[in-house]
Amino acid sequence: MNNLIQKYNIPGPRYTSYPTVPFWDNDDFTKQGWIETFQRSFDESNAEEGISIYIHLPYCESLCTFCACNKRITKQHSVEVPYIDTVLKEWKLYVDLFSSRPKIKEIHLGGGTPTFFSPENLKKLIDGIFEYADVAEGHEFSLEGHPNNTTREHLQALYDLGFRRISYGVQDYDLKVQEAINRVQPFENVKRATEEAREIGFTSISHDLIFGLPHQTMEGMMETINLTKELNPDRISFYSYAHVPWIKGVGQRGFHDDDLPSPELKRALYEEGKKMFEEMNYFEVGMDHFALEQDSMYQSMKNHTLHRNFMGYSSSKTQLMVGLGVSSISDSWYSFAQNEKTVEEYEKSINNGELSVFKGHILSEEDLIMRRHILNLMCNLETSWADDNMKFDDVDRIKTMLQDMVDDNLIEFVENGLIVKEEGRPYVRNVCMTFDKRMIDNEPETRIFSMTI
């Protein structure tokens, strides 16, 4: 195991998109090109499956030093209404470009801290969205909640608006770890927030845990998982900490690199965690996720309908995802577009009556082929090129690049495709990298990704 970790622990993308953001071709991207592709995608898919909306709510009252998300730290809640008003203006700009009334299949509130916003203002936001839209059949509305400030009033208001899934950022219960990442939240707070969500009627409650944080030990991780067991969440996200302090504004210098677990210990934390989750009757889904048998994410994995995009794994798919709010990324399948990264620039463009898009990528035919393969691997741990136009030299290159993983019994090639074995699941990002033509053709000169393991 240690030899494999040393061999395959290299910087690599997490593949919530392909191409990944650092390799977008911004020179050929135009706002008009983005509009044409999302209109095409909307016309192709809205009637049958609806669309997804991701809303970025960037405000937090304090900085968690492990977090690489776009956030704005403030205790001034007067920012809530102006920001929500701007998001609703942005939504209306999109609505005016649609050919018919949108049907919304998924909404996800991310951040930042969505529960920074008051229940009343969250209701104003969602009601404003549905002033111009209908609810799609089989919809799933979800949010990220902070256990310290998610109140019963938050949960009831969102439940009444159709939300049934909530994800709580737990990370770790060890106080030393919590202090290092500036995220101190007692078990009692998580217990209260979890039980209140269950009492109100939320049907899928997820806890996010992270391995590889500063000062983590095997004993501490096992205690965190045992406490998690007491609350029996429907899903558990077990993320590898992405240490990327070179990214401006991340704030990951609240501890020293020497405080981080070694790659060997980090992998051991994952393996022991996985073993404990399996003993608790959780099933591994895709990469980093575990779910109980009755949860929709596990069922979607069994049915091969699991999907992955900038919101992470989803139990249902929509072709079009509209990102609203500062720094949000939209996905039309044929292209990506990202909003301005500062609240001021974002609000300026929207208040001028323009979409806030400032960069993006129009996918080529080759991009679309490779995107499908990477999505298949990330969701189903297998892919086939029998029915697409992947060139023979691409297949030969991929086979050559993956020969070591065949020899290490991590993957196997089948007729016109490949399968990632259970032993290879921890290395699925490495497999995807061999399909990543954009990265291979434009090898970065400096490190831009976290380690794969």
Side-chain angles (χ1 to χ4, degrees), residues 314-325:
S314 171
S315 56
S316 62
K317 167 193 167 290
T318 64
Q319 182 168 303
L320 175 61
M321 184 188 77
V322 177
L324 303 176

Side-chain angles (χ1 to χ4, degrees), residues 75-301:
K75 294 184 183 295
Q76 301 300 316
H77 286 262
S78 58
V79 300
E80 294 184 33
V81 170
Y83 186 80
I84 285 175
D85 286 344
T86 306
V87 170
L88 292 177
K89 288 179 184 177
E90 181 186 13
W91 173 235
K92 185 60 166 61
L93 291 174
Y94 274 107
V95 169
D96 289 344
L97 292 167
F98 293 147
S99 58
S100 59
R101 190 172 172 90
K103 298 192 300 182
I104 300 179
K105 182 76 169 289
E106 292 184 318
I107 296 176
H108 184 72
L109 305 182
T113 306
T115 46
F116 171 97
F117 289 75
S118 72
E120 295 77 16
N121 283 330
L122 291 175
K123 183 177 188 305
K124 174 181 178 178
L125 172 64
I126 302 304
D127 284 345
I129 295 293
F130 282 104
E131 183 178 350
Y132 306 106
D134 298 321
V135 178
E137 183 179 350
H139 65 279
E140 185 172 273
F141 300 165
S142 60
L143 77 148
E144 299 163 12
H146 193 315
N148 285 356
N149 68 13
T150 300
T151 65
R152 179 178 283 273
E153 290 73 22
H154 278 112
L155 295 167
Q156 188 65 60
L158 289 163
Y159 180 86
D160 292 343
L161 290 163
F163 284 73
R164 296 294 183 270
R165 191 170 79 78
I166 186 165
S167 177
Y168 289 121
V170 174
Q171 325 319 344
D172 193 298
Y173 287 116
D174 187 321
L175 182 59
K176 186 175 182 180
V177 176
Q178 290 185 351
E179 289 176 340
I181 63 175
N182 197 35
R183 178 75 174 229
V184 176
Q185 54 190 19
F187 172 74
E188 290 72 22
N189 290 7
V190 182
K191 183 174 188 290
R192 173 197 55 77
T194 299
E195 291 178 348
E196 287 183 346
R198 199 165 274 143
E199 290 166 6
I200 286 170
F202 280 75
T203 55
S204 183
I205 300 169
S206 178
H207 286 187
D208 294 348
L209 307 180
I210 297 180
F211 62 94
L213 290 171
H215 305 300
Q216 272 183 332
T217 64
M218 181 63 73
E219 181 181 11
M221 177 56 69
M222 292 175 69
E223 176 64 11
T224 289
I225 294 174
N226 281 324
L227 288 169
T228 301
K229 181 180 180 181
E230 289 186 29
L231 302 180
N232 197 37
D234 303 278
R235 300 180 187 177
I236 297 172
S237 299
F238 195 41
Y239 293 114
S240 168
Y241 166 56
H243 190 55
V244 288
W246 56 85
I247 297 179
K248 182 180 179 182
V250 168
Q252 291 183 351
R253 283 302 185 195
F255 44 84
H256 300 291
D257 288 357
D258 292 344
D259 296 327
L260 298 170
S262 67
E264 292 75 21
L265 174 56
K266 186 177 180 182
R267 195 69 222 163
L269 292 171
Y270 171 79
E271 295 296 339
E272 183 60 30
K274 176 181 176 181
K275 177 183 175 183
M276 294 178 71
F277 296 142
E278 290 173 348
E279 291 171 351
M280 293 156 56
N281 296 318
Y282 288 89
F283 294 86
E284 191 165 14
V285 177
M287 181 185 74
D288 306 329
H289 287 66
F290 297 81
L292 296 175
E293 186 172 9
Q294 65 270 22
D295 190 81
S296 61
M297 182 168 284
Y298 173 71
Q299 294 299 323
S300 66
M301 182 191 73

Side-chain angles (χ1 to χ4, degrees), residues 34 38 42 51-56 87 90-91 93-95 98 102 106-108 129 309 311 318-325 328-332 337 339 355:
W34 158 243
F38 85 68
F42 180 86
I51 69 172
S52 296
I53 296 178
Y54 170 78
I55 305 176
H56 192 73
V87 170
E90 181 186 13
W91 173 235
L93 291 174
Y94 274 107
V95 169
F98 293 147
E106 292 184 318
I107 296 176
H108 184 72
I129 295 293
N309 56 27
M311 296 189 293
T318 64
Q319 182 168 303
L320 175 61
M321 184 188 77
V322 177
L324 303 176
S328 285
I329 298 177
S330 297
D331 176 0
S332 71
N339 283 350
L355 293 179

Side-chain angles (χ1 to χ4, degrees), residues 286 301-304 306 313 369-386 388 402 410-422 424-425 428 431-432 435:
M301 182 191 73
K302 283 183 61 178
N303 298 331
H304 276 216
L306 189 67
Y313 282 110
I369 291 170
M370 295 305 177
R371 181 180 190 184
R372 281 190 287 268
H373 287 299
I374 289 173
L375 188 61
N376 289 339
L377 289 165
M378 293 299 291
C379 293
N380 303 316
L381 301 177
E382 61 182 46
T383 194
S384 169
W385 45 80
D388 67 27
L402 288 175
L410 302 176
I411 68 167
E412 66 174 315
F413 285 103
V414 294
E415 185 176 3
N416 295 317
L418 70 87
I419 296 172
V420 179
K421 297 184 176 182
E422 187 60 31
R425 184 188 285 268
V428 65
V431 180
C432 291
F435 288 81

